[in-house]
Amino acid sequence: MNAVVHRSDRSWFRTAAGRRFGVEIGLIVLAKAALLTLLYFALVASQPRADTSPAAIRAHVLAGAAGNATAEPATP
Amino acid sequence: MIDGDVVTLSRLQFALTALYHFLFVPLTLGLAWLLAIMEAVYVMTGREVWKRMTQFWGVLFGINFAMGVATGVTMEFQFGTNWAYYAHYVGDVFGTPLALEGLMAFFLEATFIGLFFFGWDRLGRVQHLVVTTLLAVGANLSALWILIANAWMQNPVGAEFNFETMRMEVTSFTQVMFNPVAQSKFVHTVSAGYVLGSMFVLSISAWYLLRGRNVDFAKRSMTVAASFGLASALSVVVLGDESGYTVSENQKMKLAAIEAMWDTEPPPASFALFGFPDVATRTTRFAVHVPWVMGIIGTRSLDGVLPGINQLVEEAAQRIERGRIAYAAMQRLRKQPGDAQARAAFDANKQDLGYALLLKREMTDPAQASADDVQRAAASTIPNVPVLFWSFRIMVGCGMYFIALFGWSFWLASRRRLDASRRYLKIALWSLPLPWLAIELGWIVAEYGRQPWAIEGVLPTALGVSSVSAGQVLFSISGFVVFYTALAVIDAMLMTKYVRRGPDGLGLWPMSVPVSPSADERDYGVGT
């Protein structure tokens, strides 16, 4: 009886089904990271950045407003 | 003046991403503790089925975690892209809790999730249980920090406006950390997550029982879910009451809007059980009131006064006038920092400076505002009453339903009759979406109810928005919608796939090779 392999000692995550699950999850995380990067470069980085220089903040709160503050081109 | 379209679209974008992100977060919060409970039973009893239960629900936890992780990062993108002035104005306070939340989520939680999946063969039983417990603790601590940041938006304590740097600066981080709103919000939110996690396990297990699959596995899972779910559902209501009490102290307009209480009632105020708030006439049609209840809940006394919306608007108008004094004094101080008279005027009225900024939605200089402008700005402090009124009632109704359902489940589990009634199993199955609905409505009450403020009484939402165009925001919203829809479809497909396969289809249970010693054989098939 002592020679019987104690099946419970083996994690399910090391079985074929478990490994497939791990690969699927890993691929999803990688795909998400890639999509988020794409999203950043396509939608975020290409847009002009809000001007938050001290002068712009003063203008925004004290006299001007969002629509009046100038936008600066995005820095690479 | 501020471009209203940019404000509306930026708010819509943030709301969409926040509501989407919070589809995943509460399941992580709740399921993590359920995994810890199941594994603790495994460690205490040595019964293999509990280990396999931990691993099966761990698989679904893993899918949810993988799909949900980083969906919140896009919100932090938006602080820079859409809310640059907000980020500047409050960054000194807001930055630290956000950084700590990132540390908790990406370092503590992510590290332990790796050990949870890959440590079964490498760690001892107790060591692995510690890992699972720390995974749950990490997830909850991550929530704590983000809720501390959010609570500061509802009740900005421990910070003061500096007219030289034109932003809020921390005066006491202890006050920020131990903000009473943060404490009540944290326990209420995580308890709601525990309810969701419990309902997730209960509903999926009910589906297995309806199909006659994984019967013992499902009954054990339901027993854990029923016990944990009942305790959590009771906690949510009790802690929600505490959360409501803090609202009555710090956000009187939000509470009045939730209750559609247009005028101050003699104490103790009644609770509007039902009705149709009419914003145009400031009345509630077909209102059904329960005497005393709101006064007792809101003030915990019989003589505490809860102000009505009309009275709060009058108060807001007075605060706008004081804010204009502070605003004018601030402009003088910026030109002549040594002006003692201006300094005294500023210090006496600075707590209302934010109210003067409400005028900037329609004019560049609040000093030019007419009496009508002030009245309009004061009226703008009323949030959307019908949305708040009904969101709150549906949320509370769901909360009461959860207590009843988990109570019923607990009663059936204690009699080992969980699979006796198909009607019960169907109800348990179809209740699955309700905790998500309740939680999202809870966030709508909390955040939509704070409007028109980004920071309550300090910074109007409209003033926090970046100098971007409506077209740019529309472009980024489209990108987010496409990206998040794709993620949601993949998530639904993966979850469905693994739930359908179940413990039996995945080879998790029953085990194909008999286990020695025979504790598991004795255990398997004996019921819950």
Side-chain angles (χ1 to χ4, degrees):
Chain A
M1 288 296 284
N2 289 341
V4 173
V5 177
H6 200 300
R7 176 83 156 72
S8 65
D9 282 349
R10 191 174 164 218
S11 164
W12 176 82
F13 295 101
R14 293 177 73 82
T15 64
R19 284 180 196 279
R20 201 175 310 121
F21 168 74
V23 169
E24 280 179 0
I25 295 296
L27 285 175
I28 285 169
V29 173
L30 283 176
K32 273 180 68 177
L35 273 170
L36 270 172
T37 309
L38 188 71
L39 198 71
Y40 175 79
F41 283 109
L43 302 178
V44 180
S46 60
Q47 292 193 14
R49 289 194 181 173
D51 183 4
T52 50
S53 62
I57 295 294
R58 261 197 312 278
H60 185 67
V61 180
L62 284 177
N68 298 345
T70 52
E72 288 179 346
T75 48
Chain B
M1 284 196 291
I2 295 167
D3 186 341
D5 289 345
V6 173
V7 177
T8 306
L9 287 170
S10 296
R11 283 177 58 197
L12 177 67
Q13 179 168 280
F14 200 88
L16 285 175
T17 44
L19 290 174
Y20 182 85
H21 179 57
F22 221 75
L23 292 174
F24 300 100
V25 174
L27 187 55
T28 302
L29 294 175
L31 214 44
W33 280 118
L34 284 158
L35 295 178
I37 292 168
M38 289 173 187
E39 194 172 346
V41 178
Y42 164 63
V43 169
M44 286 188 289
T45 64
R47 290 178 175 175
E48 185 68 14
V49 66
W50 290 95
K51 177 182 174 182
R52 298 298 171 143
M53 280 165 61
T54 312
Q55 292 184 340
F56 173 69
W57 295 111
V59 165
L60 302 185
F61 175 86
I63 295 169
N64 179 66
F65 189 88
M67 299 310 296
V69 74
T71 53
V73 171
T74 53
M75 287 193 281
E76 301 195 19
F77 282 175
Q78 289 169 64
F79 289 134
T81 55
N82 298 62
W83 301 99
Y85 294 111
Y86 165 87
H88 170 85
Y89 207 82
V90 303
D92 193 60
V93 187
F94 216 62
T96 309
L98 278 189
L100 285 166
E101 188 267 342
L103 282 174
M104 294 293 172
F106 292 104
F107 289 81
L108 187 62
E109 202 179 342
T111 301
F112 285 112
I113 201 169
L115 284 170
F116 173 81
F117 285 118
F118 303 112
W120 287 101
D121 294 341
R122 293 174 174 80
L123 299 168
R125 287 179 181 186
V126 175
Q127 285 173 324
H128 196 278
L129 174 61
V130 170
V131 163
T132 310
T133 308
L134 285 173
L135 172 64
V137 170
N140 281 263
L141 280 179
S142 160
L144 171 67
W145 286 107
I146 202 73
L147 289 169
I148 285 175
N150 179 268
W152 187 80
M153 294 165 71
Q154 319 282 346
N155 182 32
V157 292
E160 201 171 82
F161 180 73
N162 181 340
F163 68 85
E164 287 169 351
T165 56
M166 299 297 288
R167 63 176 190 166
M168 297 294 285
E169 291 179 356
V170 175
T171 54
S172 165
F173 192 67
T174 310
Q175 277 186 31
V176 175
M177 259 180 71
F178 294 101
N179 186 343
V181 176
Q183 309 304 315
S184 59
K185 195 175 255 295
F186 170 67
V187 287
H188 181 56
T189 307
V190 296
S191 299
Y194 303 160
V195 170
L196 197 154
S198 303
M199 188 67 84
F200 183 79
V201 172
L202 192 83
S203 302
I204 292 172
S205 302
W207 185 74
Y208 288 134
L209 291 185
L210 280 167
R211 302 207 152 213
R213 287 174 58 194
N214 305 301
V215 172
D216 293 289
F217 200 97
K219 282 161 77 177
R220 282 184 173 89
S221 297
M222 285 182 91
T223 303
V224 175
S227 317
F228 190 58
L230 179 59
S232 305
L234 288 167
S235 303
V236 166
V237 174
V238 174
L239 300 168
D241 168 63
E242 179 63 29
S243 196
Y245 180 66
T246 57
V247 168
S248 76
E249 289 197 318
N250 309 306
Q251 294 177 296
K252 295 183 192 304
M253 181 61 93
K254 185 196 276 185
L255 187 73
I258 287 171
E259 283 308 306
M261 194 163 71
W262 301 100
D263 287 297
T264 307
E265 291 182 23
S270 62
F271 173 75
L273 199 62
F274 181 84
F276 294 102
D278 185 337
V279 177
T281 59
R282 293 196 186 178
T283 55
T284 304
R285 286 180 287 140
F286 309 111
V288 178
H289 288 277
V290 184
W292 289 29
V293 172
M294 198 57 231
I296 293 169
I297 292 174
T299 67
R300 294 184 181 163
S301 71
L302 292 174
D303 55 1
V305 177
L306 288 174
I309 292 171
N310 291 328
Q311 286 67 44
L312 288 167
V313 169
E314 285 171 22
E315 192 183 302
Q318 291 164 15
R319 294 190 72 174
I320 290 170
E321 293 295 357
R322 287 198 295 271
R324 291 172 72 194
I325 297 170
Y327 189 89
M330 180 173 70
Q331 284 182 309
R332 295 212 309 274
L333 275 172
R334 286 190 62 85
K335 285 177 191 154
Q336 286 184 305
D339 186 336
Q341 203 178 9
R343 164 69 75 174
F346 181 74
D347 286 344
N349 298 286
K350 65 183 176 186
Q351 73 277 9
D352 294 323
L353 177 65
Y355 279 81
L357 299 180
L358 285 169
L359 290 161
K360 288 183 73 71
R361 182 153 191 157
E362 295 193 25
M363 62 194 62
T364 51
D365 186 2
Q368 307 297 323
S370 66
D372 282 349
D373 293 330
V374 171
Q375 283 305 318
R376 266 202 309 279
S380 76
T381 58
I382 308 173
N384 190 320
V385 176
V387 170
L388 292 185
F389 183 87
W390 281 108
S391 298
F392 180 77
R393 273 146 192 81
I394 297 170
M395 178 189 73
V396 171
C398 286
M400 297 300 169
Y401 171 74
F402 299 146
I403 291 176
L405 180 64
F406 283 116
W408 188 12
S409 306
F410 187 76
W411 184 79
L412 289 173
S414 64
R415 278 162 179 71
R416 299 185 178 230
R417 288 172 53 82
L418 278 166
D419 55 352
S421 162
R422 287 186 70 79
R423 180 184 294 175
Y424 159 75
L425 293 173
K426 283 180 183 169
I427 290 172
L429 172 62
W430 290 107
S431 298
L432 179 60
L434 292 181
W436 271 290
L437 175 71
I439 285 171
E440 299 288 359
L441 288 174
W443 276 113
I444 287 170
V445 170
E447 302 306 299
Y448 206 36
R450 195 190 58 235
Q451 300 305 320
W453 301 105
I455 309 294
E456 180 76 29
V458 170
L459 181 70
T461 308
L463 208 63
V465 81
S466 298
S467 49
V468 290
S469 72
Q472 286 165 340
V473 185
L474 207 56
F475 182 55
S476 56
I477 287 180
S478 311
F480 281 128
V481 167
V482 171
F483 175 59
Y484 279 0
T485 305
L487 278 184
V489 170
I490 295 168
D491 182 48
M493 283 169 58
L494 264 183
M495 277 286 186
T496 309
K497 174 183 159 185
Y498 278 92
V499 169
R500 279 183 188 279
R501 289 182 71 182
D504 47 356
L506 291 169
L508 266 160
W509 196 263
M511 291 159 62
S512 52
V513 179
V515 177
S516 179
S518 58
D520 301 297
E521 290 170 348
R522 286 198 307 274
D523 183 47
Y524 177 58
V526 181
T528 58

